[in-house]
């Protein structure tokens, strides 16, 4: 094992070259590593409003997904997240145009929408009116930032197996973990359902476009999703989830109380940190106390549940590097070291070209290093090493390639 | 799982075509829309209605006085004059004045204010203090105050700068700091009488504004500039309590209340309503009389601060990087499939 790890580390240097992957042993990365990487990148994105950096993040996401996605059904859904992202940008732009935020004499006037007068007591909101280039651009950039964060989560869903993420949760959180897993696997499941129903309609030579086709697709998809969640719930039930175990009533209450108090502390602390007007003890101290209470509750609750995992996912060198790439890039974007903080949020009034600050750019490219630091994915889904299905899978994949 | 991958060749071809063409169509459509929009850009050349004037041109019944308190950044209270009719926004964007909005709310939310004659036109608060992406916190923002002609109390503006139309002879004041919902904290420490014009007729000659003075262009047709100025402003009760507690995020050495209205640089000849005792008149304010009030300096109409629209090179570099990184991903994915 150690030999393989060093071999992987050695090849990771030249891993940027596509040919280098063949020398590495394919395996699936720990799902938590991908989630940490993606959430850290989303955190980094939340810091900046610079369209250049945002586009770079999208490119990096595309690169990592191109390099490391598996052939599992949920791993083909990234384009749906891209559509969702485009929708977000479009909605943001349309809303900015309709709910006009006002045009200034220095702005570039684009067009004017019919103005709907609002009564005096509602003078704060204007409907219609002149729309400036600056307003639309700022709305687009704002939407792009949200879109980037969506795509980060989408990348995590594409790269990691959502159901395997459940295994790493602490024992006390198993009941909560079911809810979390169901919620994070909703999007991949929907993607899968849409693909299946779409394909079925095509095989029956049915319509696949237009409003009528949409109705024909939506209803089976919703039905499918409901059936699947019922099946998942039944499967989890039969595997002993939601079982109280050997816990006494008192210890269960203590655990619940500790967790509840801890969550209250965390919420208060977050509020205290974000709102500058609250007294100081509500900030970091409340956050720390809440975290301590939560940890105590989890420890206590974890003692009563003993579970074993079949073939647990290992956490090795590659997991550290992938998660580290994301976290370092987030830290660099929040550190304000080596660059002007204003470059992260360029102003559009007056219009000027955004700059490309060096350190944030390097940080985002560093997050992209996960694309070759992670081990190559397993060649095909499932345990079907027979060449015939794999061959057909490859052919159809080629067909769906953009 | 693998049974889903068995597909008919015709279906595959169709799928490929539609997948390829849909984004391309969308991109083309977007480009076309943008071109149309830019082409439809119309610039009206109506002579400017509002114009900056030397401070002597503002009188008790004409022109609107604009005052901005830069004391948080070691500056004075700068005072300018503009003609009416105008809007609070126009007043604040002419004669060398310039503002920046927020990314979230657009230019109507005044996030930064700069004057080309103060620190080279640098706008405050600086990017390090507030990035002006989201709405600034209630503890540190530019609050907008009006004083109608003759009145010696400040009213917190109930309208945004783009909607409010200053009356002739009124004073507009922008101060940086925090306010609370009741309006008892963060009130201005100067009185309107210290800032307003007291001459009944224009002084300093009738010289118009300097030629290089840039005036805000008129708003495009159909712009809603809010209710008419004649509408009586809501006479909400102005609490005349002294400023006892100020949520000061940072020390403001110069923002102290003057001991009495008589300490103002310009004694008020106009009889102000005596019932309207200014908040600063209360001598029991804890921080009062520590230092003299911030000085008031007249800001002459000036040219706009030079604006550099920057270089397009970073955008080109980013485009190249995006192509490189994205292309590497696509290439790697294709190669992986081929060798599989």
């Amino acid at each position: 094992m150690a030999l393989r790890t060093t071999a992987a580390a050695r090849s990771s240097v030249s891993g940027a070259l596509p040919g280098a992957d063949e020398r590495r042993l394919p395996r699936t990365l720990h799902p938590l590593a991908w989630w940490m990487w993606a959430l850290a990148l989303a955190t980094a994105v939340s810091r900046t409003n610079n369209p250049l950096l945002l586009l770079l993040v999208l490119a990096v996401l595309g690169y990592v997904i191109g390099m490391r996605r598996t052939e599992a059904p949920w791993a083909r859904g990234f384009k749906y997240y891209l559509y969702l992202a485009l929708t977000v940008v479009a909605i943001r732009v349309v809303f900015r145009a309709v709910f006009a935020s006002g045009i200034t004499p220095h702005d570039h006037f684009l067009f004017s929408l019919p103005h709907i007068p609002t009564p005096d007591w509602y003078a704060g909101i204007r409907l219609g009116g002149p729309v400036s280039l600056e307003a639309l651009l700022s709305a687009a950039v704002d939407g792009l930032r949200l879109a980037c964060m969506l795509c980060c989560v989408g990348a995590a869903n594409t790269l990691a197996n959502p159901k395997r993420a459940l295994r790493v949760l602490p024992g006390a959180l198993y009941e909560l973990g079911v809810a979390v897993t169901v919620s994070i696997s909703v999007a991949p499941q929907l993607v899968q359902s849409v693909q299946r129903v779409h394909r079925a309609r095509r095989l029956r030579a049915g319509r696949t476009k237009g409003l009528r086709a949409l109705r024909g697709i939506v209803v089976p998809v919703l039905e499918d999703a409901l059936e699947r969640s019922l099946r998942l719930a039944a499967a989890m039930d039969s595997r002993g989830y939601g079982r109280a175990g050997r816990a006494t009533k008192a210890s269960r209450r203590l655990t619940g109380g500790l967790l509840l108090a801890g969550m209250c502390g965390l919420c208060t602390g977050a509020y205290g940190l974000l709102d500058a007007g609250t007294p100081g003890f509500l900030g970091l101290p409340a956050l720390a106390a809440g975290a301590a209470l939560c940890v105590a509750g989890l420890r206590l609750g974890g003692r009563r549940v003993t579970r074993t995992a079949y073939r647990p996912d290992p956490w090795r060198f590659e997991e550290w590097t992938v998660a580290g790439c994301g976290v370092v890039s987030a830290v660099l974007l929040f550190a304000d070291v080596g660059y002007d903080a204003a470059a992260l949020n360029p102003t559009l009034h007056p219009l000027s070209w955004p700059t490309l600050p060096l350190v944030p750019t390097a940080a985002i490219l560093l997050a992209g290093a996960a694309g070759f630091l992670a081990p190559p994915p397993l060649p095909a889904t499932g345990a079907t090493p027979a060449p015939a299905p794999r061959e057909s899978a490859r052919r159809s994949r080629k067909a769906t390639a953009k | 799982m693998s049974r889903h991958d068995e597909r008919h060749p015709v279906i595959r071809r169709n799928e490929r075509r539609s997948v390829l063409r849909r984004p391309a169509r969308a991109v083309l459509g977007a480009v076309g829309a943008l071109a149309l929009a830019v082409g439809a850009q119309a610039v009206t050349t109506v002579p400017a209605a509002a114009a900056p004037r030397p401070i002597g041109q503002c009188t008790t019944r004409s022109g609107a006085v604009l005052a901005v308190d830069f004391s948080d950044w070691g500056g004075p209270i700068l005072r300018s004059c503009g003609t009416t009719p105008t809007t609070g926004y126009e007043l604040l964007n002419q004669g060398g004045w310039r503002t920046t909005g927020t990314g979230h709310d657009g230019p109507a939310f005044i996030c930064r204010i700069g004057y080309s004659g103060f620190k080279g036109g640098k706008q405050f608060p600086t990017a390090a203090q507030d990035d002006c992406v989201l709405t600034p916190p209630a503890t540190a923002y530019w609050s907008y105050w009006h004083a109608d002609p003759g009145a010696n109390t400040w009213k917190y503006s109930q309208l945004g700068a783009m909607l409010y139309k200053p009356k002739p002879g009124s004073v507009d004041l922008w101060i940086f700091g925090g306010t609370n919902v009741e309006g008892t904290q963060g009130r201005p420490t100067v009185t309107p009488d210290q800032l307003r014009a007291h001459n009944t007729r224009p002084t300093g000659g009738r010289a118009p504004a300097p030629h290089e003075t840039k005036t805000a262009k008129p708003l495009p047709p159909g712009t809603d500039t809010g209710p008419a100025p004649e509408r009586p402003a809501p006479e909400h009760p102005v609490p005349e309590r002294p400023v006892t507690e100020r949520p000061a995020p940072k020390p403001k050495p110069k923002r102290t209340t003057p001991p009495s209205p008589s300490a103002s640089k310009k004694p008020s000849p106009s009889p102000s309503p005596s019932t309207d005792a200014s908040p600063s008149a209360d001598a029991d304010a804890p921080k009062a009389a520590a230092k003299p009030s911030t000085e008031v300096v007249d800001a002459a109409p000036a040219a706009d601060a030079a604006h550099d629209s920057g270089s397009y090179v970073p955008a080109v570099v980013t485009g190249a990087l995006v192509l490189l990184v994205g292309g590497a991903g696509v290439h790697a994915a294709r190669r992986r499939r081929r060798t599989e």
Side-chain angles (χ1 to χ4, degrees):
Chain A
M1 201 54 71
L3 190 81
R4 209 178 56 73
T5 317
T6 48
R10 209 175 340 108
S11 71
S12 71
V13 179
S14 57
L17 302 170
D21 274 352
E22 279 114 53
R23 294 198 301 275
R24 298 170 73 185
L25 198 64
R27 70 177 179 101
T28 49
L29 200 74
H30 198 290
L32 206 65
W34 281 129
W35 271 99
M36 278 175 72
W37 173 80
L39 290 182
L41 198 56
T43 313
V45 163
S46 75
R47 170 88 172 121
T48 178
N49 219 2
N50 188 329
L52 302 184
L53 292 177
L54 293 177
L55 287 176
L56 203 60
V57 167
L58 281 184
V60 159
L61 288 178
Y63 168 72
V64 174
I65 288 170
M67 290 285 282
R68 289 300 177 251
R69 87 182 162 97
T70 58
E71 297 303 333
W74 61 79
R76 294 188 201 143
F78 190 65
K79 70 176 177 202
Y80 295 101
Y81 294 98
L82 283 180
Y83 291 156
L84 188 65
L86 269 183
T87 316
V88 164
V89 175
I91 287 179
R92 200 86 179 79
V93 169
V94 167
F95 266 63
R96 179 59 70 89
V98 171
F99 296 97
S101 58
I103 189 166
T104 77
H106 297 277
D107 284 354
H108 298 79
F109 174 74
L110 283 188
F111 56 87
S112 200
L113 293 175
H115 172 63
I116 300 165
T118 44
D120 272 0
W121 50 267
Y122 211 56
I125 291 184
R126 287 184 286 179
L127 290 173
V131 177
S132 68
L133 178 66
E134 280 87 347
L136 290 194
L137 279 180
S138 81
V141 169
D142 221 27
L144 188 62
R145 182 166 59 155
L146 186 56
C148 268
M149 291 163 86
L150 272 176
C151 284
C152 283
V153 175
N157 265 331
T158 309
L159 290 165
N161 184 341
K163 283 168 192 154
R164 288 187 92 89
L166 174 62
R167 298 177 163 203
V168 295
L169 287 170
L173 275 184
Y174 260 47
E175 281 96 66
L176 189 67
V178 175
V180 170
T181 308
V182 168
S183 61
I184 64 172
S185 62
V186 156
Q189 297 231 7
L190 272 180
V191 165
Q192 231 171 312
S193 295
V194 168
Q195 284 174 342
R196 271 217 320 256
V197 175
H198 197 70
R199 202 177 299 130
R201 278 188 78 83
R202 280 199 170 169
L203 287 172
R204 290 174 197 135
R207 269 170 184 275
T208 53
K209 280 181 182 173
L211 262 183
R212 277 168 60 195
L214 191 70
R215 202 178 52 193
I217 288 176
V218 164
V219 173
V221 162
L222 290 180
E223 199 184 332
D224 196 43
L226 188 68
E227 259 174 29
R228 273 160 170 268
S229 18
L230 286 178
R231 225 181 305 151
L232 182 65
M236 290 180 141
D237 204 26
S238 66
R239 282 166 178 79
Y241 283 91
R243 192 174 55 94
R246 289 173 281 111
T248 60
K249 210 167 195 177
S251 89
R252 266 209 312 258
R253 276 193 189 150
L254 184 62
T255 308
L258 279 175
L259 278 179
L260 204 64
M263 286 294 165
C264 284
L266 284 182
C267 291
T268 319
Y271 187 83
L273 277 185
L274 291 177
D275 183 18
T278 48
F281 68 87
L282 281 182
L284 267 183
L287 201 69
L293 282 176
C294 277
V295 168
L298 289 182
R299 273 280 167 83
L300 199 68
R303 272 196 307 194
R304 66 184 161 90
V305 196
T306 42
R307 286 181 208 273
T308 53
Y310 173 59
R311 286 200 299 191
D313 290 311
W315 187 279
R316 295 205 188 107
F317 176 74
E318 284 98 336
E319 274 82 1
W320 283 115
T321 53
V322 167
C325 279
V327 171
V328 165
S329 80
V331 166
L332 279 179
L333 256 85
F334 275 86
D336 278 357
V337 180
Y339 59 93
D340 185 10
L344 287 183
N345 295 294
T347 174
L348 285 166
H349 299 270
L351 268 189
S352 54
W353 288 96
T355 57
L356 192 63
L358 200 63
V359 173
T361 308
I364 290 169
L365 289 179
L366 179 70
F372 54 84
L373 288 178
L378 293 172
T381 26
T384 49
R390 209 197 285 182
E391 183 61 21
S392 70
R394 191 161 62 83
R395 258 194 291 123
S396 65
R397 244 178 281 124
K398 253 185 194 170
T400 49
K402 284 187 186 176
Chain B
M1 295 290 179
S2 59
R3 83 195 139 86
H4 300 310
D5 296 320
E6 283 288 343
R7 286 183 226 176
H8 196 267
V10 175
I11 294 168
R12 270 194 277 122
R13 208 163 51 233
N14 279 346
E15 187 174 343
R16 171 172 210 155
R17 196 170 58 204
S18 67
V19 163
L20 267 179
R21 289 212 175 152
R22 214 174 302 138
R25 266 209 308 263
V27 167
L28 273 180
V31 168
L34 190 68
L36 265 180
V38 172
Q41 180 175 348
V43 180
T44 49
T45 48
V46 181
R53 287 277 179 269
I55 193 72
Q57 300 287 313
C58 269
T59 68
T60 50
R61 50 187 68 218
S62 77
V65 170
L66 163 75
V68 180
D69 186 355
F70 281 117
S71 55
D72 275 23
W73 301 279
I77 295 180
L78 287 178
R79 203 167 70 122
S80 281
C81 171
T83 58
T84 52
T86 183
T87 63
Y89 185 88
E90 255 179 296
L91 201 59
L92 201 48
N93 276 277
Q94 62 185 6
W97 290 95
R98 201 67 201 267
T99 63
T100 302
T102 66
H104 182 261
D105 309 293
F109 194 104
I110 308 294
C111 187
R112 303 185 214 279
I113 301 179
Y115 171 64
S116 60
F118 177 62
K119 300 206 172 168
K122 191 170 171 54
Q123 296 190 357
F124 295 95
T126 54
Q129 277 179 285
D130 193 337
D131 54 15
C132 285
V133 174
L134 298 176
T135 311
T139 50
Y141 75 106
W142 283 108
S143 59
Y144 188 23
W145 302 83
H146 312 305
D148 283 342
N152 200 25
T153 48
W154 293 112
K155 267 188 296 194
Y156 186 84
S157 180
Q158 301 295 312
L159 293 172
M162 281 196 181
L163 294 174
Y164 176 74
K165 294 181 173 175
K167 294 172 193 165
S170 68
V171 188
D172 274 21
L173 174 68
W174 292 87
I175 58 173
F176 192 79
T179 56
N180 61 355
V181 178
E182 295 82 29
T184 52
Q185 293 176 5
R187 295 185 63 81
T189 52
V190 290
T191 62
D193 272 347
Q194 284 173 272
L195 300 173
R196 72 156 38 99
H198 297 291
N199 43 323
T200 48
R201 58 184 61 235
T203 57
R206 288 215 54 92
H211 195 67
E212 74 275 12
T213 298
K214 288 216 179 66
T215 296
K217 274 180 283 180
L219 293 175
T223 306
D224 174 28
T225 47
E230 291 78 38
R231 192 169 67 94
E235 288 290 333
H236 70 284
V238 180
E240 293 307 328
R241 265 172 282 160
V243 183
T244 52
E245 199 182 4
R246 184 185 301 251
K250 45 199 171 298
K252 298 176 200 165
K254 287 194 175 182
R255 294 277 298 277
T256 51
T257 41
S260 74
S262 63
S264 61
K265 295 185 121 189
K266 299 181 186 202
S268 60
S270 65
S272 60
S274 56
T275 51
D276 273 344
S278 79
S280 55
D282 292 302
D284 59 347
K287 288 188 235 165
K291 270 184 191 176
S293 171
T294 309
E295 63 171 335
V296 177
V297 173
D298 292 343
D304 275 345
H307 163 55
D308 182 16
S309 67
S311 152
Y312 59 86
V313 173
V316 174
V317 170
T318 310
L321 267 178
V322 165
L323 280 183
L324 195 72
V325 172
V330 170
H331 179 70
R334 285 215 178 129
R335 194 186 159 99
R336 184 155 57 89
R337 275 179 211 143
R338 235 180 292 132
T339 54
E340 215 168 67

